Amino acid sequence: MFDKRALIIGVSGIVGQNLAHQLLAEGDWSVAGVSRRPLLGHSRIRTLPVDVLDETETMRVLGDVDPTHVFFGAWTRMPTESENVRVNGAMVKNVLEAVTARSKSVRHVALVTGTKNYLGPFESYAKNKPQTPFREDQARLPGENFYYTQEDIVFDYAKRHDFGFSIHRPHTIVGYAVGNLMNIGVTLATYASICKANAKPLVFPGSQAQFEGVSDVTDARLLARHLSWASTTSSARNEAFNVVNGDVFRWKHLWTVLARYFEVESAPSPGEPLERQLADADGTWSRLVAVHRLQPTSLRELASPWHTDADLGRPFECLNDMSKSRRFGFLDYQETERSFIDLFDRLRRERIIP
C-alpha cells in the first residue's frame, strides 16, 4: 500500500520519535521501528522489540521486514572508544545484514552521527583544535571513532547491494523525548525547575568560551525533515551533510531567555558542572513530582548532566557550516529560541516538568 517503507533503528529516541512523526505526517510512508522498550501511544508505528546487538535475533526479526529506507538514530555508550567501535559498528552491520540477506528492497540508508566527527570521541573530546565552522569535507581525525566505523560499514553495504546512503551530522539535538541518553533540552528544563524550587539562580554550568562564543544546535524536528529530504532526493544520494537550525546564538543571551521562561534569576557568569549541581537533587525532583502531580519519572530518566556538561564545557566555540545542504536544496530553518520554548511548552503539557 505504501511506496516508501521506513525502518527506524531507535524509534523511541529523540531522533527516532521525531522522524517517525515526520514520515507519518507526509502521508506516503509506512513506519516500523526497532526499540528494546515498548513504544506506547503510537498505533501507526509497527514496533519491533529486538536487540540489534544479537546477530541471530536481528536476522530473525528483521529479515522479512523489507524496508525501502533504513534510518539509524540509535547508539550505545560503552566505557572506551574501542568498545564503542565494536558495539556500535555491530549494530549497523547486524541490521544491514538482516535487511539485505533475503531481499533487494532497500533503496537508501541514512546514518545519524554528529559533531564528534569533528571533535573526536569522548575519551579525547574537544582536545583537538578544529577549524570552525565545521565542513563536511574536513579530514577524519586520527584514532578510533565509532562514527567512522559506522560510516565505513554503510559505505561497504551500499556498494555491495547497490543502494544509496546519506550521513547526517547534527550538533546538540533539542527535542522531545523522555529517557533519552543525550538530551540537553530536557536536562536544562529539569535543572531550571529545581533551581526555582530551591529559590536559586540558574547558573551556567560550562566554560567561559561557550558562554561568550557563538554556537548552534539542531532541532529534532528539523533533523527529521532533513533525513526525509536526503533519503528521497536523488542529488543528495551518497553524501554527508551537517544539519543545524540555520541560526547562531550565544549562550550568554540564550541563558537569560531560559531563565525568564522558568521565572528564575540568571547567574552572571559560568559555574559548577551540572553533574555536581544535580548530584543531590533526586529528592527535590521527587517532591516536585508529588506536589505538581507530574508523570512519575525520576530525575535520572530525564536528565543527562554528563552530556550537557560535555557540550557546554568545550574550550572553544562550535558551529557547523550548512552551505552544502543549502546548495543541494535543503532550505529549512528553525529559530533556536523557539526550539527550546516549544520543547518546554510540550514538557509542561505532558506533565513532565512543573
Side-chain angles (χ1 to χ4, degrees):
M1 294 179 60
F2 293 94
D3 178 56
K4 293 181 287 189
R5 302 182 300 278
L7 174 63
I8 302 173
I9 312 304
V11 73
S12 62
I14 190 170
V15 174
Q17 283 192 49
N18 284 276
L19 175 60
H21 285 300
Q22 173 64 32
L23 299 182
L24 291 173
E26 291 177 14
D28 55 350
W29 292 84
S30 66
V31 178
V34 168
S35 174
R36 283 183 288 183
R37 59 185 179 184
L39 189 63
L40 303 176
H42 300 278
S43 59
R44 295 173 62 197
I45 301 173
R46 177 188 174 194
T47 305
L48 303 167
V50 57
D51 180 358
V52 293
L53 285 174
D54 187 323
E55 183 179 358
T56 302
E57 184 72 358
T58 302
M59 181 65 73
R60 184 185 69 80
V61 176
L62 301 186
D64 297 320
V65 174
D66 289 339
T68 59
H69 295 70
V70 181
F71 300 90
F72 285 93
W75 72 289
T76 297
R77 188 186 183 194
M78 303 301 291
T80 67
E81 191 60 17
S82 292
E83 282 294 288
N84 278 329
V85 166
R86 181 183 66 81
V87 169
N88 291 284
M91 290 169 57
V92 174
K93 184 177 185 300
N94 291 345
V95 170
L96 293 183
E97 187 64 29
V99 298
T100 58
R102 304 170 192 167
S103 171
K104 298 295 184 181
S105 64
V106 176
R107 302 178 206 160
H108 192 93
V109 171
L111 173 67
V112 178
T113 60
T115 309
K116 288 192 293 298
N117 184 84
Y118 307 113
L119 296 179
F122 287 120
E123 291 175 7
S124 57
Y125 187 65
K127 296 296 193 298
N128 59 329
K129 294 182 179 179
Q131 180 178 336
T132 58
F134 304 135
R135 297 178 184 272
E136 294 89 344
D137 59 0
Q138 288 178 218
R140 287 181 173 183
L141 299 174
E144 292 184 307
N145 190 318
F146 80 85
Y147 286 172
Y148 305 160
T149 299
Q150 290 182 316
E151 285 184 355
D152 289 342
I153 293 170
V154 170
F155 299 159
D156 175 56
Y157 273 81
K159 183 177 181 180
R160 287 195 282 127
H161 296 278
D162 194 29
F163 58 72
F165 65 82
S166 54
I167 310 298
H168 303 256
R169 297 170 184 165
H171 196 176
T172 303
I173 301 175
V174 179
Y176 183 82
V178 174
N180 184 249
L181 182 63
M182 302 190 301
N183 197 327
I184 191 172
V186 178
T187 300
L188 293 179
T190 57
Y191 170 52
S193 300
I194 289 169
C195 288
K196 183 175 181 179
N198 292 333
K200 291 184 177 181
L202 192 70
V203 180
F204 185 75
S207 68
Q208 192 70 37
Q210 283 294 300
F211 194 61
E212 300 279 356
V214 179
S215 191
D216 54 24
V217 297
T218 305
D219 191 300
R221 299 167 297 183
L222 182 134
L223 173 56
R225 298 194 297 272
H226 195 266
L227 284 159
S228 176
W229 163 78
S231 68
T232 56
T233 301
S234 59
S235 62
R237 179 184 171 101
N238 299 350
E239 298 287 346
F241 296 100
N242 294 332
V243 49
V244 289
N245 282 353
D247 64 356
V248 295
F249 66 92
R250 299 182 194 275
W251 279 104
K252 185 175 183 177
H253 168 73
L254 185 58
W255 204 247
T256 63
V257 174
L258 305 188
R260 190 182 312 123
Y261 182 93
F262 288 97
E263 301 177 322
V264 294
E265 180 187 350
S266 174
S269 61
E272 288 189 324
L274 272 187
E275 281 206 291
R276 289 186 204 161
Q277 294 192 54
L278 296 178
D280 301 315
D282 298 83
T284 300
W285 185 256
S286 296
R287 288 192 293 274
L288 285 174
V289 169
V291 169
H292 295 277
R293 298 184 179 181
L294 304 178
Q295 296 289 342
T297 314
S298 71
L299 182 60
R300 296 180 186 276
E301 292 176 278
L302 297 174
S304 49
W306 66 273
H307 175 255
T308 299
D309 284 340
D311 271 358
L312 300 184
R314 292 176 294 208
F316 42 74
E317 65 182 25
C318 293
L319 42 149
N320 295 262
D321 186 83
M322 277 289 283
S323 298
K324 184 176 180 180
S325 285
R326 304 284 186 255
R327 189 169 69 252
F328 279 71
F330 184 80
L331 304 178
D332 282 22
Y333 162 84
Q334 169 65 46
E335 182 185 3
T336 291
E337 289 187 19
R338 290 307 320 175
S339 292
F340 283 95
I341 299 303
D342 289 350
L343 170 61
F344 298 156
D345 286 346
R346 183 173 180 186
L347 289 171
R348 281 184 169 169
R349 288 196 305 271
E350 302 285 350
R351 293 175 41 246
I352 304 297
I353 63 172

